Amino acid sequence: MFIMINETARININNILERAIDIGQRMLVTGAEVSRVERTINFICRAYGVRHVDVMVITTSIVVTLRGEDIGVLTQMRRVPGQNFDFQRLKALNQLSREICAHPMTSDEIKKRIREIDTMEVISLKASLFYWALIAASFSAFFGGRFDDAVCAGIVGVLLRLLQHLLAQTKLNPYFGLVLLSFVGGMLANSFMYFGLDIHPAAINMGNIMPVIPGLALMNSIRDMFNQETISGLIKSAEAFILSLLIATGFAFSATGTLIAFETTGWVYLLTSFVGGFCFHLLWHGHFKDAVMGAVVCMGAWGFTMLFVAMGWNEFAGYFAGAVFATIAAEILARIYKSPATIFLIIGVIAMVPGGSLYRTMFYAVAADWEKFGTQGIKTFLYAVSIAAGIVIATAIWETVKAWLMNRKKKDGISCTEECCEGKS
């Protein structure tokens, strides 16, 4: 049996497929998770009448195959560069995909919109210096540092951001650049002691490890594996694990003193988690209003963690509860602000990312305290698993409820296009 292929339709759909991958690639780079990128490409292609869409996304590449009686079989593949969080671009790309679902555009119109997103203003160096300093200071206090430690962490943070900016101008291997950055950070933390200051270098290091440690990547890789995205999860987890060890080792090798200055009080935890989450959102080029809400989610998630621990549950149950709260809150905010839930979820769990725990693990390794190294290493892994499990289970519950609501709306006459667009909030 012969299949009549419409060459005009085939060319048009091929161009649309290229634009859909353009959007998906940029979403993956700016912070979207693998499953969201797959759904986005699927919805865009289906908005143009394609009924058979096969999408495979891993952190390094995108492969899409379309099949139809009038277009035959079309396949495109795209290599994906490294991730660079940019919440404003991610939000704009998500909005563009919504508009395409609701009102399909021509390939040239989509290309023009993508070009406008590509030329959006980026965060300035001065602003990133300020946000990095506040992040380092707040998390230094979060992990047990005193006020003096937080101030010193902020100063070191400014210097590290400048060094990171200079290294980015070279062709230095990115992995080696991060290890160099972490080692210099540890040396700078120690340098305050030479001036007679009574500070704790470990608290300074744990504050500055947060902006560079790929803890979110490690957590998301475990989350991908929970979601049966095994290949993507394994690739990202291997990369994040190796990079995390290198960074933590760089800081730990140059560290001296004790690991913690004093026991952090509840109000300090809440305040620093809010400030840290707020500044992280702005560092990753988010909107001010979104940053405030993301910081509230971050503070609330850590509050839930503290609450469960205070009720006698173990730390891992607390982290699980905090992740569940952050996920539900992020999904609700995503529907209110018509934004990807990712931009609220990433910030919501940032205080729980085991950057400080990983630093402690490598600190014990450098000190050749292998018993504590093993115990702390297992705790670090279980923290990540608890957070990922909380996100996956909460997302599954949310998706089930959302599917039920969509079915009700469908019975009331809401179109499939609207359903697809709502499914991407």
Side-chain angles (χ1 to χ4, degrees):
M1 184 178 73
F2 293 97
I3 299 176
M4 298 297 295
I5 295 179
N6 186 326
E7 286 298 331
T8 301
R10 181 180 172 86
I11 293 172
N12 288 338
I13 293 299
N14 191 61
N15 290 335
I16 293 300
L17 174 58
E18 186 174 357
R19 299 290 83 79
I21 295 178
D22 286 340
I23 293 172
Q25 178 194 36
R26 285 162 174 77
M27 290 182 73
L28 197 59
V29 169
T30 54
E33 68 275 23
V34 167
S35 57
R36 176 174 298 277
V37 175
E38 289 182 340
R39 291 198 305 270
T40 297
I41 295 174
N42 195 314
F43 287 152
I44 291 175
C45 293
R46 289 181 180 277
Y48 290 86
V50 181
R51 289 292 169 259
H52 299 282
V53 184
D54 296 313
V55 186
M56 177 180 164
V57 177
I58 58 177
T59 53
T60 56
S61 63
I62 300 174
V63 182
V64 185
T65 296
L66 308 182
R67 290 179 289 119
E69 291 185 359
D70 56 342
I71 62 172
V73 178
L74 293 171
T75 299
Q76 289 191 27
M77 180 177 180
R78 184 78 55 85
R79 176 79 175 177
V80 180
Q83 202 167 49
N84 183 23
F85 286 164
D86 190 317
F87 288 161
Q88 287 194 32
R89 281 186 169 84
L90 177 57
K91 192 172 182 178
L93 289 164
N94 185 75
Q95 180 59 32
L96 173 59
S97 64
R98 281 174 167 273
E99 292 176 17
I100 294 172
C101 283
H103 306 287
M105 309 175 188
T106 65
S107 174
D108 289 339
E109 289 173 334
I110 299 173
K111 191 173 184 178
K112 181 181 178 182
R113 292 285 300 276
I114 292 174
R115 192 179 299 116
E116 291 173 356
I117 294 172
D118 287 342
T119 55
M120 288 174 63
E121 186 180 1
V122 298
I123 184 172
S124 68
L125 177 60
K126 289 182 180 179
S128 67
L129 291 172
F130 179 71
Y131 298 142
W132 189 310
L134 285 180
I135 290 168
S138 60
F139 279 105
S140 176
F142 183 89
F143 289 121
R146 300 178 306 189
F147 180 77
D148 293 347
D149 300 322
V151 172
C152 293
I155 295 171
V156 172
V158 170
L159 297 175
L160 289 182
R161 178 64 186 98
L162 284 172
L163 177 59
Q164 186 187 54
H165 177 72
L166 292 174
L167 291 175
Q169 311 304 313
T170 69
K171 295 184 178 180
L172 193 68
N173 181 284
Y175 281 14
F176 180 76
L178 281 174
V179 174
L180 177 62
L181 192 75
S182 61
F183 187 80
V184 171
M187 296 296 292
L188 290 172
N190 287 335
S191 67
F192 291 101
M193 299 178 67
Y194 302 142
F195 295 99
L197 296 178
D198 182 22
I199 53 92
H200 298 79
I204 298 172
N205 286 335
M206 283 190 278
N208 277 291
I209 203 173
M210 291 299 287
V212 294
I213 202 77
L216 283 170
L218 180 61
M219 182 192 68
N220 282 334
S221 67
I222 298 173
R223 179 185 173 191
D224 285 340
M225 286 188 277
F226 272 125
N227 283 326
Q228 297 181 334
E229 300 284 354
T230 308
I231 298 176
S232 177
L234 288 173
I235 292 173
K236 198 65 179 177
S237 62
E239 179 185 358
F241 180 72
I242 294 171
L243 193 55
S244 296
L245 289 181
L246 291 174
I247 293 171
T249 302
F251 275 108
F253 256 122
S254 51
T256 59
T258 58
L259 277 177
I260 190 167
F262 66 93
E263 191 67 29
T264 308
T265 57
W267 72 268
V268 172
Y269 271 133
L270 295 177
L271 177 61
T272 54
S273 61
F274 179 89
V275 174
F278 178 77
C279 292
F280 256 119
H281 203 292
L282 295 179
L283 180 66
W284 289 333
H285 200 211
H287 291 287
F288 183 86
K289 180 177 64 175
D290 295 339
V292 172
M293 298 311 300
V296 170
V297 175
C298 182
M299 183 175 64
W302 189 254
F304 260 80
T305 302
M306 291 194 301
L307 176 63
F308 270 68
V309 173
M311 291 168 57
W313 294 68
N314 62 43
E315 288 181 288
F316 309 118
Y319 274 68
F320 176 85
V324 169
F325 170 83
T327 304
I328 299 299
E331 293 289 354
I332 292 172
L333 289 172
R335 294 183 72 82
I336 294 174
Y337 293 107
K338 302 299 181 184
S339 302
T342 305
I343 68 174
F344 300 111
L345 179 58
I346 288 176
I347 300 303
V349 299
I350 199 72
M352 293 186 288
V353 168
S357 181
L358 183 61
Y359 173 83
R360 292 185 180 95
T361 301
M362 298 315 299
F363 183 92
Y364 292 134
V366 172
D369 191 338
W370 303 115
E371 183 179 352
K372 290 184 178 180
F373 166 75
T375 302
Q376 191 67 45
I378 293 172
K379 285 179 66 176
T380 301
F381 176 74
L382 291 177
Y383 286 147
V385 171
S386 299
I387 298 168
I391 293 173
V392 169
I393 292 174
T395 301
I397 294 172
W398 178 267
E399 292 294 335
T400 300
V401 173
K402 188 167 67 174
W404 177 74
L405 292 174
M406 284 183 176
N407 287 333
R408 287 192 60 185
K409 289 181 179 180
K410 194 173 182 180
K411 290 178 181 178
D412 293 337
I414 294 181
S415 68
C416 180
T417 301
E418 289 174 321
E419 182 180 317
C420 289
C421 291
E422 283 210 38
K424 294 175 68 284
S425 64

